[in-house]
Amino acid sequence: MVLAVSVAVRVLLFPLKGYSIDTNDFIAWMGTAADHGIRPFYSVVGFADYPPFNVYIFWFFGSLANASGIGIANIVKWVPNLFDLATAIVIYYFVRKQASFKLALTSTALYAFNPAVIYNTAVWGQYDAVYTCFLVISLVLALKSKPKLSAVVFAIAILTKPQGIALAPLLIYLIFRKNGIKNLLISVAAFAATVFVVILPFEWSNPVTFLSKIYFGAYSGYQYTSINAFNLWGMFGLWQPDGNLFILGWALFGAFVVFTLYVLHKKFNVSGEWLAVFCAFILFFAFFMLPTRIHERYLFPAISLLALMFPFIKKARPLYIVLTGTLLVNQAYVLYYLNLGQFIPNGDLVVLAVSVINLIMFLYASVLMWDELKGRPLLKTE
C-alpha cells in the first residue's frame, strides 16, 4: 500500500514540466537504442555523455515503449521512478532483517515519500535513482558478506553514473574487513569482469579509451567550482573557474575519506553495520560538499541512507530533515532558472543561505563521527 500510494503521487506529478533539454535527450537516447541496438549506439547517437549500462536501460524501455505503442515520451519518467521504488524495497528488506515491520515500513515510507527524491524523479525526470538503487544494493551486499556480488553490482552502478565512486573506499574496506584479502582480490576481478562484459557488445577498439572518453570528456568540460551545487564552493558563487581549487577540492575529499575509514576501523566492533551505513552517507555528503565541478543532484544518494537510518540513529534525524529541504530547494531553484534559460546570478541570497546550511550540516555530521571516535556513542542504534 505504501508503494502503491507513492506511485500514485508520482504519476500525478508526471505532467509537471521538467527540463526540456534533459527530457529530449532521454527520449532521443531511448529511441536510438531501440532503433539501432546496443552496438552502434555511441557512433550513431551524436551526443551522449551517459556511461554504457544506461544504454541497456534505454534499449529495454525504448523497445518496450515502441512494442506496446505507449510511446517513448510517455515512459521516460517511469524509468527513474521504478528504480526509486526498487530502492525503497531494498531499504525495507534490509531494515526488516534487523527490526520490526513497523520500523521497516517507516524507513521505506521516508524514502518513498521524500519530497526531494520525488521532485528529482517525478517532476524533473532525472535518472539519479538508477545508480542510487545499485549503490544501495551493493552496500547491503557488502554488509551481508557477499563481496563478489557487491563488486558486480557496484560495477553496474559505476557504469551507470561515475559519482558512485564515492562509495568505493568504503566497499573496499568492508570487503577486506569482513571477508579478507583473498575475497577482496576476487571481488576486484569480478568488478573488472563485469565492466568488460557490459562494454563488450559496444563498438570500441580500446576499452580504456572507450570508457575514458565517456567519463572524462564531459567532466573536463565543466571546469568550474560549482555546477549549480549549493555546497562549500557555492557560497562563493556558481560557475566560477576552478583552476587549482580543483586539486584542493579533491585533496579535501581524500582527507575526509581517510578520516571516515579510520573512525570506522577503530569503532567497527562497537557500532558495526550502522556505523558503516552512516559512513556511506557521509562519503556521499562529502562528495557533494568538497570537490569542485559538482552538480546540484549529487546529494541525491545520501537521502536513501538517511531514510534507512532514521528509525535507529537519533542524531541522524536532523540530517534527514534538513538535507531533504536543502536538496529540494537546490533542485527546484536550479530547474526554475534552467527553464528561464538563465544562470543563477552571483551573490544570490538563496544560494548563499542554502550553501551555508549544507555546510553547517556537514560540520554537524563530521562532529558525530568525531564523537564516535572519542567513545561517545552517538552513532549507536537505539
Side-chain angles (χ1 to χ4, degrees):
M1 289 300 297
V2 165
L3 296 182
V5 175
S6 179
V7 169
V9 170
R10 293 159 186 265
V11 171
L12 289 174
L13 293 173
F14 280 2
L16 295 180
K17 183 181 179 181
Y19 183 42
S20 58
I21 291 179
D22 290 338
T23 302
N24 290 335
D25 280 342
F26 291 132
I27 292 172
W29 294 340
M30 282 188 183
T32 300
D35 293 340
H36 297 275
I38 301 295
R39 184 168 179 77
F41 177 82
Y42 287 105
S43 61
V44 301
V45 74
F47 166 79
D49 58 354
Y50 269 47
F53 193 78
N54 293 284
V55 182
Y56 292 89
I57 298 172
F58 297 149
W59 171 82
F60 176 81
F61 284 99
S63 299
L64 179 64
N66 289 341
S68 63
I70 296 174
I72 292 175
N74 295 320
I75 206 172
V76 68
K77 279 191 177 183
W78 273 100
V79 179
N81 284 277
L82 289 175
F83 276 93
D84 237 358
L85 296 176
T87 301
I89 293 171
V90 174
I91 290 172
Y92 171 81
Y93 279 106
F94 179 80
V95 176
R96 187 66 183 93
K97 290 289 185 180
Q98 306 174 70
S100 67
F101 169 79
K102 180 179 179 181
L103 291 180
L105 194 64
T106 299
S107 287
T108 304
L110 286 170
Y111 185 74
F113 292 102
N114 183 279
V117 169
I118 292 176
Y119 188 89
N120 178 285
T121 56
V123 178
W124 195 333
Q126 283 289 352
Y127 277 42
D128 301 281
V130 180
Y131 83 101
T132 296
C133 180
F134 291 124
L135 288 175
V136 174
I137 294 172
S138 179
L139 176 63
V140 168
L141 289 170
L143 290 171
K144 298 306 178 184
S145 295
K146 298 184 183 298
K148 294 176 279 294
L149 283 175
S150 175
V152 168
V153 177
F154 182 66
I156 293 173
I158 294 297
L159 290 168
T160 306
K161 277 274 192 173
Q163 294 90 294
I165 198 67
L167 192 62
L170 177 62
L171 292 178
I172 291 170
Y173 175 81
L174 287 174
I175 292 173
F176 173 74
R177 175 75 180 249
K178 296 172 74 70
N179 306 103
I181 186 64
K182 180 180 178 181
N183 277 295
L184 175 59
L185 294 175
I186 295 173
S187 299
V188 171
F191 175 92
T194 303
V195 171
F196 182 77
V197 168
V198 169
I199 70 171
L200 186 60
F202 291 90
E203 289 180 326
W204 48 268
S205 57
N206 185 306
V208 175
T209 56
F210 171 68
L211 291 173
S212 63
K213 181 179 179 181
I214 295 171
Y215 284 115
F216 297 112
Y219 184 71
S220 62
Y222 290 102
Q223 298 181 18
Y224 303 97
T225 51
S226 172
I227 315 300
N228 291 326
F230 298 176
N231 58 9
L232 172 66
W233 308 106
M235 293 191 299
F236 307 101
L238 308 175
W239 294 89
Q240 304 298 309
D242 59 356
N244 291 331
L245 294 177
F246 170 78
I247 299 173
L248 175 61
W250 281 105
L252 289 172
F253 178 71
F256 196 83
V257 169
V258 172
F259 167 69
T260 301
L261 294 184
Y262 178 74
V263 175
L264 180 61
H265 178 70
K266 299 294 287 186
K267 296 297 179 179
F268 189 80
N269 290 332
V270 177
S271 298
E273 288 188 352
W274 289 110
L275 177 57
V277 173
F278 190 88
C279 288
F281 151 72
I282 205 168
L283 287 179
F284 287 133
F285 196 8
F287 187 81
F288 173 78
M289 290 297 298
L290 300 178
T292 60
R293 309 183 188 184
I294 298 300
H295 292 251
E296 70 285 335
R297 294 171 286 107
Y298 287 10
L299 186 59
F300 185 92
I303 301 298
S304 61
L305 300 177
L306 287 171
L308 190 153
M309 293 185 292
F310 191 95
F312 304 95
I313 303 177
K314 185 176 181 180
K315 294 292 184 179
R317 293 171 190 172
L319 289 163
Y320 172 86
I321 296 168
V322 175
L323 294 185
T324 292
T326 59
L327 177 58
L328 178 61
V329 171
N330 198 164
Q331 293 178 133
Y333 207 59
V334 169
L335 182 57
Y336 171 76
Y337 272 92
L338 286 174
N339 283 326
L340 287 179
Q342 301 176 11
F343 286 99
I344 298 175
N346 286 327
D348 186 278
L349 292 180
V350 173
V351 176
L352 177 61
V354 175
S355 299
V356 169
I357 293 170
N358 278 335
L359 180 59
I360 291 171
M361 298 314 295
F362 183 68
L363 294 174
Y364 170 74
S366 302
V367 168
L368 294 184
M369 291 290 288
W370 180 258
D371 285 340
E372 181 73 17
L373 180 63
K374 292 301 180 181
R376 294 183 285 272
L378 294 176
L379 299 180
K380 280 191 173 182
T381 58
E382 296 194 358

